[in-house]
Amino acid sequence: MSMIDMSKFEKKMIIRHIEEKDFDAIINMQKLCFPDMEPWEREHLESHLDIFPEGQFCVEYDGEIIGSCSSLIINFDEYDDQHTWDEITDNGYITNHDYEGYNLYGIEVMVHPEYRRMKIGRRLYEARKDLARELNLKSIIIGGRIPNYFKHAKEMTPRQYVEEVTMHNIYDPVLTFQVMNGFTLKRINQNYLEDDKASLRYATLMEWNNIDYRPTMPKRQFKTSFPVRITTIQYAMKKISSFEDFAVQCEHYTDVAASYNSDFAVFPEIFTLQLLSFLPEKSPSLAIRRLTEFTEDYIELFTNLALKYNVNIIGGSHFVEEEGKIYNIAFLFRRDGTIEKQYKLHITPNERKFWGISGGDNVNVFDTDCGKIAIQICYDIEFPELARIAVNKGANIIFTPFCTDDRQGYLRVRYCSQARAIENQVYTVLSGTVGNLTDVENMDIQYAQSGIFSPSDFTFARDGIVGECNPNIETVVVGDVDLEILRRHRRAGSVNQLRDRRHDIYEINYKQD
C-alpha cells in the first residue's frame, strides 16, 4: 500500500495582523456580514495600520480572509458614560488612539457567514486578550450590538432583553457570544451606532478584566503634565575660516540648549552653507557639490554633540549628494546616538534654479524619548497636506528649519506654521538664519524671527506663541510645550479640528507607505 499524501488533507488557518493586501477582502466580507450598515472605506483601514497596526487582526484560512477585528487603546475614564461609536473611534479613523491609555477598545469583530461555528470569533477575542496582556492593559472594553433586540422591542426594554440574554433565556448572536467569552455588562448605551437598526441603536458596554495587569509599571503612571523643553536657535550666517569654526559655533548653541535642560535643540535650514564662506568656488551649482563633501563631518559632529550634551538635535538641514542628485535633508540626531532623516519634498524655484536640488518622496514621523515628532523643511510647511499626514501618523510636534531672505518669505513660513498648529492641534517650531554671507552666491541676506507655536485655545499661551526671538538678531528662544495638555485639548478643546473633519466629503490620499 502506498504512503498517503497527508498534505492534500491539510487546511491552514492562521491569526495574523492585517496588511494592506487584505483591505478589499475585509471590505467585501463586511458587506456580507452587515449588509444594512456602511462598510469600512479603504482610508479607514489605512489609518488603522498607520496608527495602531498591532491592534488589527485577521483570520486567514487556506489563503482566504474569513474573519477580522479592529481595536485601539484609550483611557476610558476620559469618555462620557453614554459615548457613541463615532466618539470612541474618531468616526472610524482611530486618530484618538492613546498608547499611554489603560484600555483596549474593540470597535469591530466579523466572521464570514460561510465560516461561522468554527470558533473564528473566539480566536480573534483570544488574540485581543493576548495583546492586552502583552501591552499590560487593564481591560478590554467593547460596545456590543444586540442584533436580535428588534424582535423583542415591543415586549421588553433593552435592559430586560439584556437580562434575558444573560440568563440564557434568549439567544443573541453577539451578546451571548460575549458573555461566553468572559465579558461582563457595564451598562447600556443609547444611540451608539447610527446605522445599527437591528439593535435600535442600543449597545451593551462590556468589559473583560486583565487579571495579569500590573499597575506599578512606570509607563502606566498617570501624567498630570508631560513637558518638553525646546531651544530653537536663530543662527548667524557669518564668515568663517574652517569647518572647525563652524563646529565651535554649533557646539556653543548646543551647550546653551543643554544648560537650559532642553530636550531638543533646533538649527535652521541649510545653515551649513556657512561653510562656503571659506571655499573658493563661486559657481552656486559647483559650490553645492563641494559642500556635500562635508556631509560625513557634519553627521559626525552632530552625533557627538547630541551624545555629549544629552539633547536631541534637529540638525537644521544640509545638502547631500545621493546617486548623482542633490537633496536638502534634515537630520534628527537623538541623544541615544541614533540618526534619522527627512528629505525636503517641495523644492523652491530658487533652489532648483541656483543649485539643482531634487525633492524627496516620504512624510516621516520619528519616535523620540519625548513622543513622536515630524520635520518639515521651510517650503514644506506651506503645504497643509503634509502636516495632516504627519499628525495622522502620531506627530505631536512639527519642527520647521527654514531659510528666508526677506520678510515676505519669512511671513509665508510663519503664518503657515501657525496655521498648521491650529488646524492639526499640534505644536510647531521654527528655526531660521540671520546675518549676511557676502561672499556666497544666493545666500547674501537673511531674515528670520524664530519661534515656538501652539494651538489657539484657553489652555495654551496667549496668541498661540510659546516663545519667539527678536527678529534678525543672533539669539535663541527657550520654551516648554506640554504634551499632556495637547492630548487633553485634542479630547475636549473649545473646537476640535481633528475630530470634526468631514471624512464623508474629503480626504487626503497619501500615496507612499
Side-chain angles (χ1 to χ4, degrees):
M1 183 176 179
S2 61
M3 294 290 291
I4 297 174
D5 181 9
M6 292 186 295
S7 64
K8 66 182 180 181
F9 299 101
E10 291 180 341
K11 302 288 185 181
K12 187 175 183 182
M13 181 181 292
I14 58 174
I15 313 294
R16 60 171 175 82
H17 290 114
I18 291 173
E19 302 173 11
E20 186 174 358
K21 67 180 181 180
D22 306 319
F23 288 175
D24 290 339
I26 289 172
I27 292 170
N28 290 332
M29 179 172 60
Q30 191 179 44
K31 292 175 181 177
L32 292 173
C33 294
F34 312 118
D36 298 324
M37 301 173 67
E38 292 185 10
W40 293 121
E41 301 287 346
R42 285 188 66 89
E43 56 264 28
H44 290 123
L45 300 176
E46 289 169 353
S47 183
H48 296 177
L49 292 196
D50 282 342
I51 294 170
F52 185 40
E54 307 97 306
Q56 322 309 318
F57 294 100
C58 67
V59 179
E60 182 180 325
Y61 182 56
D62 275 0
E64 181 180 357
I65 303 299
I66 63 170
S68 73
C69 69
S70 300
S71 58
L72 72 158
I73 297 174
I74 62 170
N75 183 3
F76 188 67
D77 291 339
E78 297 177 357
Y79 288 83
D80 185 84
D81 286 352
Q82 288 294 326
H83 65 269
T84 68
W85 186 89
D86 283 342
E87 289 171 341
I88 283 290
T89 67
D90 188 19
N91 296 300
Y93 289 85
I94 72 166
T95 55
N96 55 322
H97 168 74
D98 180 5
Y99 268 109
E100 295 299 321
Y102 293 85
N103 315 98
L104 187 70
Y105 197 107
I107 60 176
E108 183 173 74
V109 171
M110 56 182 170
V111 177
H112 195 291
E114 295 179 8
Y115 295 92
R116 288 172 183 168
R117 301 193 181 279
M118 292 177 61
K119 311 288 186 194
I120 305 303
R122 182 182 294 274
R123 297 169 199 257
L124 290 168
Y125 269 52
E126 288 303 316
R128 277 182 176 166
K129 291 176 183 178
D130 289 341
L131 179 64
R133 296 184 187 103
E134 178 186 343
L135 299 180
N136 190 40
L137 298 174
K138 190 174 183 179
S139 70
I140 301 174
I141 296 174
I142 49 179
R145 301 172 61 239
I146 43 176
N148 279 357
Y149 176 58
F150 76 97
K151 301 176 182 178
H152 304 269
K154 292 182 180 179
E155 300 93 46
M156 57 185 70
T157 65
R159 176 159 294 280
Q160 290 170 332
Y161 174 80
V162 168
E163 289 174 354
E164 290 295 306
V165 174
T166 304
M167 295 172 64
H168 302 288
N169 294 327
I170 297 175
Y171 172 77
D172 185 278
V174 176
L175 180 55
T176 300
F177 171 77
Q178 292 166 344
V179 170
M180 295 296 291
N181 277 276
F183 283 77
T184 57
L185 180 68
K186 290 172 68 69
R187 58 178 168 268
I188 298 174
N189 282 22
Q190 302 179 43
N191 300 314
Y192 181 76
L193 190 57
E194 186 65 28
D195 54 357
D196 185 9
K197 296 178 182 178
S199 305
L200 303 186
R201 301 186 180 88
Y202 288 102
T204 54
L205 198 67
M206 311 286 288
E207 185 171 28
W208 171 84
N209 290 293
N210 177 14
I211 62 173
D212 297 321
Y213 171 65
R214 300 179 301 281
T216 57
M217 286 189 68
K219 69 172 288 188
R220 296 298 165 211
Q221 297 299 317
F222 177 75
K223 292 185 175 72
T224 55
S225 66
F226 188 170
V228 176
R229 180 159 296 175
I230 298 169
T231 294
T232 186
I233 298 154
Q234 196 155 277
Y235 187 93
M237 299 290 275
K238 53 194 175 186
K239 184 175 177 59
I240 54 177
S241 301
S242 64
F243 184 86
E244 288 69 29
D245 288 348
F246 172 77
V248 168
Q249 192 171 345
C250 294
E251 182 163 9
H252 163 71
Y253 282 117
T254 307
D255 186 17
V256 169
S259 69
Y260 285 99
N261 297 316
S262 298
D263 297 294
F264 289 96
V266 191
F267 286 85
E269 179 188 24
I270 54 174
F271 74 120
T272 56
L273 282 169
Q274 185 181 27
L275 299 172
L276 295 183
S277 65
F278 66 80
L279 296 177
E281 183 59 63
K282 298 303 179 183
S283 167
S285 59
L286 295 178
I288 291 307
R289 298 280 173 175
R290 291 286 305 277
L291 182 65
T292 64
E293 296 172 5
F294 289 92
T295 297
E296 291 188 1
D297 293 329
Y298 156 80
I299 292 174
E300 183 178 14
L301 168 65
F302 278 96
T303 301
N304 291 336
L305 291 178
L307 287 168
K308 178 180 178 180
Y309 290 97
N310 191 32
V311 59
N312 300 302
I313 299 176
I314 309 297
S317 76
H318 174 67
F319 288 135
V320 178
E321 182 175 3
E322 295 181 350
E323 297 180 351
K325 294 183 178 180
I326 306 294
Y327 296 94
N328 188 350
I329 300 178
F331 288 84
L332 164 64
F333 300 92
R334 296 190 188 92
R335 50 185 159 196
D336 66 0
T338 57
I339 306 170
E340 304 278 5
K341 60 182 179 180
Q342 171 66 60
Y343 293 75
K344 188 173 185 178
L345 305 186
H346 297 90
I347 305 306
T348 64
N350 199 45
E351 287 176 291
R352 192 174 292 110
K353 173 183 175 182
F354 280 90
W355 298 317
I357 306 303
S358 299
D361 298 318
N362 291 290
V363 179
N364 298 319
V365 169
F366 306 114
D367 287 309
T368 73
D369 52 11
C370 299
K372 292 181 181 292
I373 64 109
I375 306 172
Q376 298 186 353
I377 306 169
C378 197
Y379 197 27
D380 282 343
I381 200 67
E382 298 179 28
F383 295 84
E385 299 88 350
L386 301 188
R388 180 54 52 85
I389 291 166
V391 170
N392 283 346
K393 289 185 171 187
N396 294 314
I397 307 172
I398 298 176
F399 293 96
T400 298
F402 74 95
C403 175
T404 51
D405 56 352
D406 58 31
R407 190 169 185 270
Q408 289 86 350
Y410 160 71
L411 289 177
R412 287 194 295 269
V413 174
R414 183 200 176 106
Y415 291 156
C416 289
S417 180
Q418 290 193 269
R420 302 300 87 85
I422 293 170
E423 294 162 354
N424 297 286
Q425 299 177 279
V426 67
Y427 294 111
T428 58
V429 181
L430 296 182
S431 174
T433 53
V434 297
N436 305 295
L437 281 179
T438 54
D439 295 328
V440 178
E441 187 74 22
N442 199 39
M443 285 295 290
D444 15 31
I445 58 173
Q446 319 287 312
Y447 188 102
Q449 185 176 16
S450 306
I452 306 167
F453 309 113
S454 73
S456 184
D457 210 340
F458 296 110
T459 52
F460 299 104
R462 181 186 172 185
D463 302 327
I465 302 173
V466 177
E468 61 183 342
C469 298
N470 290 325
N472 274 357
I473 63 171
E474 182 180 10
T475 186
V476 305
V477 64
V478 181
D480 285 350
V481 300
D482 195 317
L483 301 189
E484 176 61 19
I485 289 176
L486 183 72
R487 188 185 65 80
R488 295 179 189 178
H489 170 63
R490 289 176 173 179
R491 175 74 183 91
S494 298
V495 293
N496 197 309
Q497 292 87 352
L498 289 178
R499 189 159 304 196
D500 293 339
R501 290 171 290 168
R502 289 290 304 276
H503 295 297
D504 56 325
I505 61 174
Y506 60 84
E507 65 182 20
I508 293 176
N509 181 20
Y510 179 51
K511 297 182 179 180
Q512 302 298 325
D513 293 333

